[in-house]
């Protein structure tokens, strides 16, 4: 729960100045009170060197009041526990839908909305979802609080004291943007402009009025200092291209799912830790570039929804596994996931029948094998699996008839042998095709041997059964003749009479 002072420098400083109340522990012994604790030295914050007005007690008091909501939320979250991971939340959502007979309404609920009639199982799933949503809201709250504190400091610097009123509507709920940008957007709305390029302007904020540009088809925001994209972007109902690379974005608004006509989305080179689940609603997407971020996963259902996606770029992230649903991206032609932390590639990847380029390189010690379904990618032309820990190519590798470019460098591969790999992709395919054929013939031979054994075993069983019956019958007759146990035959009776 500790804030990162690099991301929220002013907020971290202000929260560290909040008074801490302490109470006696249950083990406190009044007869032997503990020795008075030495006051811990006040932590040193480099930020005060750059922002000397932070030493103004009036300014700090104003800042304390401004971030009271952050302090309360942080305390509550500490009590509730750590944030559940995304996979656990997805499971909880699915379980709730199942328990509601497929009803998807009101799945994301808060704890206070829990029905008294809910079972313990439903309550637990709701609690997981609610806690996750609280953490997401908290992250957004931190960014907004940092912006508010920056405004307070700037006001204090200009006036020599904390002149910004806490709770002022303009100071607490809106952000400053330059007049030129506001005028440009207003003019564009009046004229019905369909393309706007705001790239490389050192912009820190985009006003909410951008959502009024209903006719906008292309919006370029790349190479700025944006920390957020306004929720009002949902109003851009005709938007087809959104470029927001090389900014400081830590999240995307959920409202991005309202851009039903969006075809190209570039959010590369930011600080994104996840993509909103709502991005799955952008079913017109053809290209998605989220490279060079901090993603640890992709939305669980991304493949089921983005069936028109042709190009997916997520390199230079921290993704540990691709979702199983990725195999449903029936239009996908390009998949780049190099320099991640992939540990496994799902079997479903074999269903990407149109995939032409696949890059899984640079997962180093994490990726040790490829799924056998890789051989089903019959349209694959380029494959890069360099810098991994793969020992053996899948036995179906020889089926990649259209493969013309292969990179397996920096892998401890033993099958095929290094001398075969050195001869190029065609030699590798030929070797693996022959290996597969040899394995099939070997398996067929084993099956024949097993079948022969079973046939011979059946003949032997039938012969043994016949011989057993014959011996038992003979033994019965002899036993009857000798007066042994059992019912005597007619022959026995006749012999007895003659005697």
């Amino acid at each position: 729960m500790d804030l990162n002072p690099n991301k929220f420098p002013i907020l971290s400083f202000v929260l560290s100045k909040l008074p801490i109340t302490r109470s006696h522990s249950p083990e406190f012994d009044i007869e032997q009170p503990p020795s008075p604790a030495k006051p811990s030295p006040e932590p040193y914050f480099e930020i005060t060197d750059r922002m000397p007005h932070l030493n103004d007690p009036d300014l700090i008091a104003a800042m304390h009041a401004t971030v009271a909501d952050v302090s309360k939320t942080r305390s509550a979250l500490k009590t509730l526990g750590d944030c559940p991971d995304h996979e656990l939340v997805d499971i909880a959502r699915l379980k709730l839908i199942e328990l509601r007979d497929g009803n998807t309404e009101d799945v994301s609920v808060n704890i206070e909305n829990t029905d008294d009639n809910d079972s313990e199982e439903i309550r637990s799933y709701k609690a997981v979802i609610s806690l996750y949503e609280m953490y997401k809201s908290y992250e957004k709250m931190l960014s907004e609080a940092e912006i508010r504190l920056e405004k307070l400091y700037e006001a204090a610097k200009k006036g020599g004291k904390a002149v910004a009123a806490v709770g002022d509507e303009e100071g607490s709920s809106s952000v400053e943007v330059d007049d030129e940008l506001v005028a440009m957007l207003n003019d564009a709305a009046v004229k019905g402009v369909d393309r706007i390029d705001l790239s490389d302007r050192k912009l820190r904020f985009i006003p909410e009025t951008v959502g009024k540009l209903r006719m906008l088809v292309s919006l370029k925001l790349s190479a700025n200092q944006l920390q957020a994209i306004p929720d009002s972007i949902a109003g851009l109902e005709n938007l087809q291209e959104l470029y927001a690379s090389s900014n400081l974005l830590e999240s995307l608004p959920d409202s991005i799912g309202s851009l039903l006509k969006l075809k190209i989305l570039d959010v590369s080179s930011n600080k994104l830790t996840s993509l909103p689940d709502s991005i799955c609603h952008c079913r017109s997407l053809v290209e998605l570039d989220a490279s060079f971020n901090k993603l640890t996963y992709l939305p669980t259902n991304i493949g089921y929804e983005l069936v028109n996606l042709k190009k997916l770029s997520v390199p230079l992230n921290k993704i540990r596994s691709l979702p199983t649903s990725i195999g449903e991206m029936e239009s996908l032609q390009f998949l780049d996931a190099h320099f991640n932390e992939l540990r496994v590639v799902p079997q479903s990847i074999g269903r990407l029948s149109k995939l032409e380029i696949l890059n899984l390189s640079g997962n180093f010690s994490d990726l040790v094998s490829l799924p056998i379904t890789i051989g089903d990618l019959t349209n694959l032309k380029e494959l890069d699996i360099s810098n991994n820990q793969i020992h053996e190519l899948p036995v179906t590798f020889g089926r990649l008839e259209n493969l013309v470019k292969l990179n397996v460098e920096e892998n401890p591969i033993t099958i095929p042998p290094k001398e075969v790999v050195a001869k190029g992709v065609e030699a590798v395919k030929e070797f693996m095709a022959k290996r597969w054929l040899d394995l099939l013939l070997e398996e067929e031979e084993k099956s024949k041997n097993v079948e022969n054994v079973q046939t011979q075993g059946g003949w032997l069983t039938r012969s043994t059964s016949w011989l057993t019956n014959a011996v038992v019958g003979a033994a019965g007759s002899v036993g009857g003749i000798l007066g042994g146990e059992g019912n005597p035959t007619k022959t026995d009776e006749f012999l007895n009479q003659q005697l």
Side-chain angles (χ1 to χ4, degrees):
M1 295 294 296
D2 293 336
L3 295 182
N4 184 343
N6 294 322
K7 293 171 59 177
F8 308 105
I10 306 178
L11 184 58
S12 299
F13 176 80
V14 172
L15 291 180
S16 72
K17 296 291 185 179
L18 287 175
I20 301 175
T21 57
R22 293 183 174 88
S23 60
H24 293 306
S25 65
E27 295 80 12
F28 178 76
D29 189 348
I30 194 170
E31 295 182 357
Q32 295 181 346
S35 57
K38 296 181 180 180
S40 57
E42 187 170 343
Y44 168 73
F45 284 85
E46 183 184 358
I47 189 174
T48 55
D49 296 337
R50 296 183 288 106
M51 307 177 74
H53 286 285
L54 287 177
N55 293 316
D56 182 351
D58 292 335
L59 176 59
I60 290 297
M63 288 184 168
H64 280 172
T66 302
V67 297
D69 56 342
V70 174
S71 180
K72 292 179 181 178
T73 303
R74 183 173 66 160
S75 299
L77 290 177
K78 281 184 177 180
T79 303
L80 292 174
D82 296 332
C83 180
D85 60 51
H86 186 267
E87 288 78 9
L88 182 61
V89 174
D90 279 345
I91 292 173
R93 294 182 192 276
L94 291 174
K95 291 294 184 182
L96 273 183
I97 293 174
E98 291 176 2
L99 292 172
R100 292 176 175 177
D101 298 325
N103 183 10
T104 59
E105 295 182 0
D106 195 29
V107 172
S108 299
V109 293
N110 295 321
I111 296 176
E112 49 266 25
N113 290 338
T114 300
D115 194 324
D116 292 337
N117 297 324
D118 285 342
S119 65
E120 190 66 28
E121 186 179 10
I122 290 179
R123 288 172 182 268
S124 64
Y125 292 142
K126 285 184 176 181
V128 170
I129 297 171
S130 179
L131 181 59
Y132 179 78
E133 292 177 347
M134 288 178 67
Y135 266 98
K136 288 301 178 184
S137 299
Y138 177 64
E139 292 174 5
K140 183 177 180 181
M141 182 187 296
L142 295 179
S143 298
E144 293 174 347
E146 184 73 14
I147 293 173
R148 295 201 303 267
L149 294 181
E150 287 178 358
K151 290 179 64 63
L152 277 175
Y153 184 84
E154 291 300 320
K157 187 170 65 173
K158 291 178 181 178
K161 59 181 180 178
V163 297
V166 176
D168 181 89
E169 182 177 358
E170 181 181 358
S172 61
S173 62
S174 63
V175 294
E176 293 181 357
V177 293
D178 59 67
D179 295 336
E180 180 184 357
L181 176 58
V182 174
M184 179 189 298
L185 294 179
N186 289 336
D187 185 56
V190 173
K191 295 181 178 179
V193 174
D194 62 355
R195 294 179 179 273
I196 290 183
D197 188 351
L198 299 176
S199 301
D200 200 13
R201 290 171 174 256
K202 297 182 180 180
L203 298 176
R204 299 185 64 186
F205 312 110
I206 296 295
E208 293 285 343
T209 53
V210 71
K212 297 180 181 180
L213 304 175
R214 306 288 182 182
M215 302 305 295
L216 206 61
V217 174
S218 176
L219 176 60
K220 296 182 178 180
L221 305 172
S222 298
N224 283 294
Q225 300 172 14
L226 300 178
Q227 295 182 353
I229 293 178
D231 287 325
S232 63
I233 196 174
L236 306 180
E237 55 191 31
N238 291 299
L239 194 66
Q240 297 181 21
E241 302 174 359
L242 175 57
Y243 299 92
S245 63
S246 300
N247 278 287
L248 304 174
L249 300 175
E250 295 182 2
S251 63
L252 298 178
D254 286 332
S255 59
I256 200 168
S258 301
L259 305 179
L260 302 183
K261 295 184 179 180
L262 192 64
K263 294 183 178 180
I264 299 176
L265 175 61
D266 184 355
V267 289
S268 60
S269 300
N270 279 286
K271 298 181 179 181
L272 300 175
T273 56
S274 65
L275 297 176
D277 290 337
S278 62
I279 202 171
C280 297
H281 301 155
C282 302
R283 297 182 179 89
S284 297
L285 266 181
V286 176
E287 295 184 16
L288 172 58
D289 189 348
S291 58
F292 211 157
N293 278 283
K294 299 179 180 179
L295 302 178
T296 56
Y297 63 89
L298 296 177
T300 302
N301 295 324
I302 191 170
Y304 297 125
E305 304 288 346
L306 303 187
V307 294
N308 294 307
L309 196 68
K310 293 183 178 180
K311 185 176 182 179
L312 176 59
S313 299
V314 288
L316 295 134
N317 280 286
K318 298 181 179 180
I319 299 174
R320 294 186 177 183
S321 63
L322 298 174
T324 303
S325 66
I326 200 168
E328 306 302 321
M329 291 182 174
E330 55 189 35
S331 302
L332 198 64
Q333 299 176 2
F334 178 96
L335 174 57
D336 187 355
H338 78 272
F339 281 109
N340 275 281
E341 298 176 7
L342 289 179
R343 299 180 180 181
V344 64
V345 178
Q347 295 282 350
S348 61
I349 198 171
R351 295 202 291 269
L352 300 178
S353 58
K354 295 184 180 180
L355 193 65
E356 296 182 359
I357 300 176
L358 175 60
N359 191 340
L360 300 174
S361 65
N363 287 283
F364 302 101
S365 60
D366 296 304
L367 190 59
V368 298
S369 65
L370 296 176
I372 194 170
T373 54
I374 204 82
D376 295 333
L377 302 177
T378 53
N379 280 313
L380 195 64
K381 297 179 179 178
E382 299 181 15
L383 175 62
D384 190 344
I385 53 172
S386 59
N387 290 289
N388 289 301
Q389 287 297 312
I390 298 174
H391 291 262
E392 180 178 344
L393 294 181
V395 69
T396 57
F397 198 87
R399 296 173 55 188
L400 302 178
E401 298 179 356
N402 291 308
L403 192 67
V404 294
K405 187 175 180 180
L406 173 65
N407 188 353
V408 296
E409 294 179 358
E410 301 301 325
N411 277 286
I413 287 184
T414 56
I415 299 178
K418 291 182 179 180
E419 55 270 20
V420 175
V421 174
K423 294 179 181 179
V425 61
E426 292 301 325
V428 171
K429 289 194 295 182
E430 182 180 351
F431 177 91
M432 296 306 297
K434 185 178 183 303
R435 175 176 170 78
W436 188 31
L437 179 60
D438 290 343
L439 289 175
L440 289 177
L441 292 175
E442 183 180 343
E443 190 65 29
E444 184 179 358
E445 189 65 27
K446 287 181 180 179
S447 299
K448 287 182 179 180
N449 292 337
V450 171
E451 185 178 350
N452 290 336
V453 170
Q454 291 176 345
T455 302
Q456 292 173 2
W459 174 85
L460 182 59
T461 300
R462 290 194 298 273
S463 300
T464 304
S465 177
W466 173 85
L467 184 57
T468 300
N469 292 334
V471 171
V472 170
S477 298
V478 173
I481 294 174
L482 297 177
E485 295 181 0
N487 295 324
T489 61
K490 291 182 180 180
T491 306
D492 300 336
E493 295 174 358
F494 174 76
L495 291 174
N496 290 334
Q497 290 176 2
Q498 293 296 322
L499 292 171

